[in-house]
Amino acid sequence: SDLPLSGNNEYGQDKVPATLAALDMKPSYQDEISLGFERAWSPNLNFGAKFTYRKLGATIDDFCDVRPFERYAKANNIAITNPLWGNTCQSFNPGEDNVFLVDFSGDTSKLTRVPLKASDMGFDKAKRTYTALDLTAEHPYRNGWYGKMTYTWSRNKGNTEGQTLSDTSTAQADVAATQTWDYPEQMIGADGLLPNDRTHQIKAFGFYDLTPELAIGGNLLLASGRPRSCFGTDPLHRGGDYSSAAHYCFGDVAENNVLSPRGSLGRLPWEKTVDLNLTYRPKFLQGLSLRADIFNVFNSQTVTKVDESYNSDSARVATYEMPIYFSAPRSMKFSAEYNYKFK
C-alpha cells in the first residue's frame, strides 16, 4: 500500500494544542465522609473506631477513539479532508458530556467545535467507591512499653482505578494517560473490585524497654491479596489499540473469548510481614540514638502482582499469571541520630 502509516496518528507533525483536551473539563475530585471516635477506657487501654466512605466525583484521562468524531461529521455533513486524519487522544472527563475542538480539514485555523454526549462516546459514568471500617486498640506508653493494633475491613470497587494504572503487566504511571478509557470496548466488564482492594488488613506495632538505655520494637502487617483479573481481546471488536486490554479471556485466540469481569478470579496470597528493631540510647551522651532495623524478618516472598494479559489478536500470552512483583526481601538498616536542644 502507498498509504502512509503512523503508530500514533501524528505522522511526525506537531500536535495542535487546542485539540488535545476537551473544553471546560471538570477537575478530578472525590467526596469523602469519615466518622469515628476514640476513648480512654483505662490508664492502660484506649480504643476507637472509624468509618470512611469515598466516592469519585469526576476524573480526567485520555480518549483515543476516532469513531464518535466520524459519526458526528457524517451526521452534520462535514467533509473530512484532513490528509493526516486520525485521533491522537484527547484528555477528557470519562463518562461525562464533553466538547472538543477537532481538525477535520487540515487547516488548524478552522477547527470544528464537536459536542459529544457520554452515550455518543459509549461510556458509562466513571465510578469508584471506597468503604472502610477501622477498629483500633492502643496501650499508651506506660510501665515501659507501648503497643497499638488496627484491624481494617475495606472494599474498593468501580470501573477506574485512578489516573494511573497498576493492573497492566508494566503498569502505567503517566498521570491521566492510561489505557482505561481509550475505547469503549475496554470498559465492558470493567466494573468490579479494583487492584488495590484489600478486604482485611491487620497492623500492629510497639516497643518494650529492656533497660533504660535499650528498647526492642516491632511491626506486623497482614493483608489479604489483591484481586485477580484477566485481559484479552474482545472477539466482536478485534484489533485496534485496545488489543489485550479488554475484559475478555479464556477462549481461542480472539475467537471465542468470554467476558471476565474485573476482579472476578479470586485473589493473590496474603501478605505477611514482620519487622523488628533495636534501639540504644546511651546515658553518657544524651540525644544520641543508635538503631538497627530488620525488615521482613522471616523473608516472606509473597507474590504481589502477576501478568494478567491472557491473549492478543494473534497469540496466547505465554507469561499469563507469571509473577511480576514479590514482597521486598529481608533487609537490614543501621542508623544513628543525634538531637540536641539549645537552651
Side-chain angles (χ1 to χ4, degrees):
S1 173
D2 295 328
L3 295 175
L5 296 174
S6 176
N8 57 10
N9 288 322
E10 294 174 16
Y11 300 92
Q13 306 300 307
D14 291 337
K15 295 183 179 181
V16 182
T19 68
L20 299 181
L23 304 178
D24 302 320
M25 286 189 298
K26 298 177 183 177
S28 296
Y29 74 93
Q30 64 182 8
D31 295 319
E32 176 176 332
I33 182 171
S34 181
L35 303 171
F37 73 92
E38 293 183 14
R39 181 175 179 183
W41 181 258
S42 71
N44 294 316
L45 177 63
N46 301 331
F47 67 86
K50 183 176 72 171
F51 171 79
T52 304
Y53 180 76
R54 301 184 187 123
K55 183 178 181 181
L56 181 67
T59 189
I60 296 174
D61 213 298
D62 65 339
F63 167 64
C64 304
D65 191 359
V66 73
R67 293 170 294 180
F69 300 107
E70 292 177 342
R71 289 193 294 265
Y72 181 88
K74 182 177 181 180
N76 291 274
N77 297 315
I78 299 172
I80 300 178
T81 57
N82 185 346
L84 300 180
W85 170 250
N87 192 8
T88 59
C89 302
Q90 296 87 10
S91 296
F92 79 129
N93 289 132
E96 306 280 348
D97 297 345
N98 289 266
V99 179
F100 301 90
L101 292 178
V102 180
D103 182 11
F104 286 124
S105 66
D107 183 348
T108 58
S109 66
K110 298 179 181 180
L111 300 178
T112 303
R113 183 183 176 92
V114 177
L116 295 177
K117 295 185 178 297
S119 57
D120 296 332
M121 293 179 278
F123 293 122
D124 293 331
K125 188 171 179 61
K127 294 178 286 186
R128 186 177 67 244
T129 59
Y130 173 77
T131 308
L133 177 64
D134 297 289
L135 303 175
T136 302
E138 178 184 41
H139 182 282
Y141 181 58
R142 186 179 176 85
N143 300 323
W145 72 281
Y146 171 86
K148 185 174 183 179
M149 177 178 288
T150 300
Y151 166 75
T152 301
W153 176 93
S154 64
R155 178 67 77 236
N156 194 22
K157 297 180 64 177
N159 59 12
T160 181
E161 181 181 357
Q163 291 184 288
T164 58
L165 193 61
S166 70
D167 56 5
T168 59
S169 59
T170 57
Q172 292 185 313
D174 292 338
V175 177
T178 73
Q179 68 180 26
T180 305
W181 299 94
D182 289 355
Y183 298 89
E185 289 81 2
Q186 293 172 225
M187 301 307 294
I188 301 171
D191 195 357
L193 296 176
L194 294 169
N196 57 356
D197 176 75
R198 304 283 184 154
T199 305
H200 307 286
Q201 291 189 75
I202 298 173
K203 298 178 182 179
F205 60 93
F207 61 88
Y208 177 75
D209 292 334
L210 298 172
T211 71
E213 295 179 298
L214 197 63
I216 187 171
N219 298 279
L220 168 71
L221 171 63
L222 302 174
S224 53
R226 60 187 282 161
R228 292 169 48 240
S229 298
C230 181
F231 296 93
T233 302
D234 182 344
L236 301 179
H237 303 274
R238 303 179 193 178
D241 291 337
Y242 52 87
S243 173
S244 296
H247 294 270
Y248 281 82
C249 287
F250 305 128
D252 300 329
V253 174
E255 294 291 341
N256 299 302
N257 290 351
V258 296
L259 186 64
S260 178
R262 181 194 295 274
S264 63
L265 301 180
R267 291 181 178 272
L268 294 177
W270 277 63
E271 293 184 43
K272 305 169 185 177
T273 305
V274 176
D275 306 327
L276 294 176
N277 60 76
L278 187 67
T279 305
Y280 175 57
R281 297 185 179 89
K283 287 185 178 180
F284 65 83
L285 185 56
Q286 296 293 322
L288 177 64
S289 176
L290 304 175
R291 176 165 168 153
D293 288 273
I294 305 178
F295 303 103
N296 194 3
V297 173
F298 300 107
N299 200 31
S300 173
Q301 296 290 284
T302 305
V303 176
T304 58
K305 182 179 178 180
V306 297
D307 188 344
E308 296 179 332
S309 296
Y310 183 79
N311 65 4
S312 66
D313 281 342
S314 57
R316 262 292 307 272
V317 177
T319 56
Y320 174 65
E321 291 212 316
M322 181 186 77
I324 296 176
Y325 296 131
F326 296 84
S327 51
R330 182 192 300 121
S331 62
M332 296 184 67
K333 182 178 75 173
F334 298 95
S335 57
E337 181 179 345
Y338 180 71
N339 292 302
Y340 180 79
K341 184 177 180 180
F342 291 95
K343 295 183 180 179

